C-alpha cells in the first residue's frame, strides 16, 4: 500500500552526557597518581547526598524519556485530525514544527501522516524520506495519477510516521492547477475517508509553502484545522492579518468547517525583551488558542535535518527536543479534551 523509505537513516545522536556509573571510591582510584596517598573519608554519604543534580544528569534523564516512549502514551483523538501548518512568512518554523510535532506524536503511540506540500521538500528531508525527481510524490497525487497510499512512504524515524514527499515537480504545480477543474479542491479529493482509512492515521499534518498561493489554499480546503507557527519577532506579526483574512475567505467560500485551532510561538529568545513583548501580544489577542509551550531558539533543531532526522531523534536531551515533545503532548491533550467536551 505505502512504500518503505529508500535512504538509510543516520544513526541517532547520543546525548552529550550520561550519568557516571562509577562509585566515588572507584573514581578516586582512577584519579590517583604515583606517590599520592588517598585517605578514606570517615563520614558515609547518604543516598540523598550522593544524588547530586547536574545539567548532564538532567539531560540524560530527558533523553531517556524520549527514547523510551512507553512511559508516556499520548491520548488518541476520537476523530481523525487534519491540520494545515501555514504562515506565508518564511523562516518562522513551519516545516520544523510540522516534522517535530509529528515525530513527537508518532514516537509516543499515535499514527501520523505528513503531507509535504512545499516544493523545497524540507519536511521530506527531515523525515528521511526520498524525494528525488521521479519519486512518487504529492505532485502525482494532486494531478490524479497516484492515490495517497501509493505515494506515502514510511519515515526512518518510526514506523508510526508516514510521509507523502514533495519533489521538484511540485514547483510548477500551481501553474498547472490553474487550468484544472476544482483546482482549489485537488488535495481534498485525494484525502477521502477511504484513502485515509487505508493508512489509518490519527493525525494528518500538511506542511505548506511560504506563500498564500494555490498550494496553500488546497491545504486549507482539505483540512479542518489551521496551526500557525509565529516567530517571536516583530516582523512575524506583520503578515498575520493577511493570513487570517485568507483563512476567512476559505471559510466563507470553500471550507466552512475550517478554523484556527492552534498557535505555537517559535524561536523564542529569553534574553530579549522583544520576545516577551511579542509573546504577550499574541497571547493577549488569541488567548487559549496559543499553546503554553514555547519553542526556544536551538542550534540542535537546525542541525537535525542535515542528518535526515528530527531533533527528537538527533538530540533527544536538548531543550528543543523537549519543547517540541511538550508541545505535541499539549496538542494531543487539548484534542482529547475538546472531543470529550
Amino acid at each position: 500500500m505505502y512504500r518503505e523509505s529508500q535512504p538509510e537513516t543516520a544513526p541517532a545522536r547520543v546525548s552529550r552526557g550520561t550519568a557516571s556509573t562509577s562509585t566515588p571510591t572507584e573514581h578516586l582510584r582512577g584519579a590517583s597518581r604515583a606517590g599520592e596517598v588517598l585517605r578514606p573519608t570517615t563520614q558515609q554519604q547518604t543516598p540523598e547526598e550522593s544524588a547530586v543534580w547536574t545539567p548532564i544528569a538532567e539531560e540524560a534523564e530527558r533523553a531517556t524519556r524520549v527514547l523510551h516512549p512507553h512511559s508516556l502514551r499520548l491520548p488518541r483523538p476520537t476523530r481523525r485530525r487534519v491540520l494545515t501548518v501555514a504562515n506565508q512568512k518564511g523562516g518562522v518554523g513551519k516545516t520544523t514544527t510540522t516534522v517535530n510535532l509529528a515525530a513527537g506524536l508518532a514516537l509516543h503511540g499515535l499514527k501520523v501522516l505528513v503531507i509535504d506540500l512545499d516544493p523545497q521538500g524540507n519536511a521530506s528531508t527531515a523525515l528521511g524520506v526520498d524525494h528525488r525527481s521521479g519519486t512518487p510524490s504529492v505532485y502525482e497525487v494532486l494531478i490524479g495519477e497516484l492515490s495517497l497510499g501509493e505515494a506515502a512512504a514510511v519515515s526512518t524515524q518510526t514506523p508510526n510516521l508516514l510521509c507523502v514527499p514533495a519533489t521538484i515537480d511540485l514547483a510548477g504545480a500551481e501553474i498547472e492547477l490553474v487550468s484544472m477543474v476544482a483546482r482549489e479542491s485537488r488535495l481534498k479529493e485525494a484525502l477521502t475517508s477511504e484513502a485515509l482509512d487505508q493508512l489509518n492515521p490519527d493525525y494528518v499534518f500538511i506542511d505548506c509553502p511560504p506563500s498564500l498561493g494555490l498550494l496553500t489554499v488546497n491545504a486549507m480546503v482539505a483540512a479542518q484545522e489551521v496551526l500557525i507557527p509565529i516567530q517571536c519577532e516583530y516582523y512575524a506579526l506583520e503578515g498575520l492579518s493577511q493570513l487570517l483574512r485568507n483563512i476567512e475567505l476559505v471559510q466563507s467560500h470553500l471550507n466552512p468547517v475550517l478554523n484556527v485551532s492552534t498557535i505555537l510561538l517559535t524561536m523564542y529568545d529569553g534574553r530579549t525583551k522583544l520576545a516577551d513583548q511579542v509573546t504577550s501580544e499574541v497571547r493577549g489577542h488569541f488567548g487559549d488558542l496559543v499553546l503554553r509551550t514555547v519553542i526556544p531558539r536551538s542550534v540542535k533543531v537546525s542541525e537535525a535535518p542535515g542528518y535526515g532526522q528530527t531533533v527528537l531523534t538527533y538530540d533527544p536531551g536538548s531543550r528543543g527536543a523537549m519543547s517540541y515533545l511538550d508541545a505535541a503532548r499539549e496538542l494531543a491533550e487539548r484534542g482529547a479534551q475538546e472531543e470529550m467536551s
Side-chain angles (χ1 to χ4, degrees), residues 86-98:
N87 192 328
Q88 79 273 21
K89 186 181 185 303
V92 299
K94 286 187 301 298
T95 298
T96 301
T97 294
T98 299

Side-chain angles (χ1 to χ4, degrees), residues 12 16 49 82 95 133 151 159 179 197 204 207 241 323:
R16 286 175 291 171
E49 292 173 333
V82 182
T95 298
S133 182
S179 60
D197 286 343
V204 179
D207 183 36
S241 59
S323 296

Side-chain angles (χ1 to χ4, degrees), residues 62-108:
R62 292 186 308 193
T64 301
R65 277 191 286 153
V66 176
L67 293 174
H68 298 282
H70 298 293
S71 60
L72 172 64
R73 307 298 284 183
L74 297 178
R76 292 187 63 185
T78 55
R79 63 170 175 85
R80 182 178 294 124
R81 298 181 67 186
V82 182
L83 298 97
T84 287
V85 184
N87 192 328
Q88 79 273 21
K89 186 181 185 303
V92 299
K94 286 187 301 298
T95 298
T96 301
T97 294
T98 299
V99 298
N100 285 296
L101 286 181
L105 294 168
L107 286 168
H108 294 85

Side-chain angles (χ1 to χ4, degrees), residues 17-325:
T18 54
S20 173
T21 56
S22 60
T23 64
T25 307
E26 290 169 343
H27 175 71
L28 290 175
R29 288 195 192 117
S32 63
R33 296 183 292 273
E36 181 179 357
V37 179
L38 297 177
R39 294 179 175 84
T41 57
T42 56
Q43 184 178 2
Q44 286 285 349
Q45 283 187 320
T46 64
E48 290 77 14
E49 292 173 333
S50 61
V52 179
W53 178 91
T54 65
I56 292 178
E58 183 192 37
E59 186 171 324
E61 190 271 335
R62 292 186 308 193
T64 301
R65 277 191 286 153
V66 176
L67 293 174
H68 298 282
H70 298 293
S71 60
L72 172 64
R73 307 298 284 183
L74 297 178
R76 292 187 63 185
T78 55
R79 63 170 175 85
R80 182 178 294 124
R81 298 181 67 186
V82 182
L83 298 97
T84 287
V85 184
N87 192 328
Q88 79 273 21
K89 186 181 185 303
V92 299
K94 286 187 301 298
T95 298
T96 301
T97 294
T98 299
V99 298
N100 285 296
L101 286 181
L105 294 168
L107 286 168
H108 294 85
L110 300 176
K111 191 153 187 188
V112 184
L113 171 66
V114 173
I115 298 175
D116 190 355
L117 211 59
D118 187 346
Q120 297 176 86
N122 293 332
S124 307
T125 299
L127 296 177
V129 174
D130 186 15
H131 60 103
R132 292 170 294 185
S133 182
T135 303
S137 70
V138 72
Y139 170 75
E140 286 80 15
V141 173
L142 285 174
I143 63 176
E145 289 185 358
L146 290 177
S147 69
L148 193 69
E150 291 171 325
V154 181
S155 169
T156 55
Q157 310 293 297
T158 168
N160 282 343
L161 183 52
L162 304 176
C163 175
V164 179
T167 63
I168 194 63
D169 298 329
L170 191 60
E174 289 202 68
I175 299 174
E176 294 183 46
L177 287 173
V178 169
S179 60
M180 289 187 178
V181 177
R183 59 191 180 186
E184 301 92 353
S185 306
R186 303 295 297 186
L187 185 60
K188 181 180 181 179
E189 292 172 2
L191 294 181
T192 61
S193 298
E194 293 77 11
L196 288 172
D197 286 343
Q198 289 181 353
L199 302 176
N200 197 29
D202 298 300
Y203 284 83
V204 179
F205 290 94
I206 306 173
D207 183 36
C208 295
S211 71
L212 294 175
L214 264 176
L215 290 176
T216 301
V217 171
N218 263 268
M220 291 183 181
V221 172
Q224 298 126 20
E225 306 175 46
V226 180
L227 188 157
I228 305 176
I230 299 179
Q231 184 181 5
C232 293
E233 291 186 3
Y234 174 73
Y235 286 129
L237 298 177
E238 283 197 322
L240 193 56
S241 59
Q242 181 62 47
L243 174 63
L244 295 175
R245 278 196 296 271
N246 278 45
I247 292 172
E248 289 175 1
L249 287 173
V250 172
Q251 288 173 327
S252 301
H253 301 287
L254 298 167
N255 184 7
V257 302
L258 184 69
N259 70 95
V260 178
S261 65
T262 311
I263 293 175
L264 178 64
L265 293 163
T266 64
M267 301 183 188
Y268 177 82
D269 189 344
R271 299 170 297 178
T272 65
K273 289 184 179 179
L274 177 62
D276 287 330
Q277 290 172 356
V278 172
T279 300
S280 298
E281 283 188 33
V282 173
R283 292 193 187 281
H285 185 75
F286 292 101
D288 292 338
L289 294 181
V290 187
L291 294 182
R292 294 187 302 274
T293 304
V294 176
I295 308 300
R297 284 192 177 275
S298 171
V299 174
K300 298 298 180 183
V301 172
S302 303
E303 288 177 352
Y307 294 86
Q309 299 181 60
T310 62
V311 71
L312 278 87
T313 54
Y314 175 68
D315 194 346
S318 65
R319 289 175 62 226
M322 294 309 302
S323 296
Y324 270 115
L325 180 58

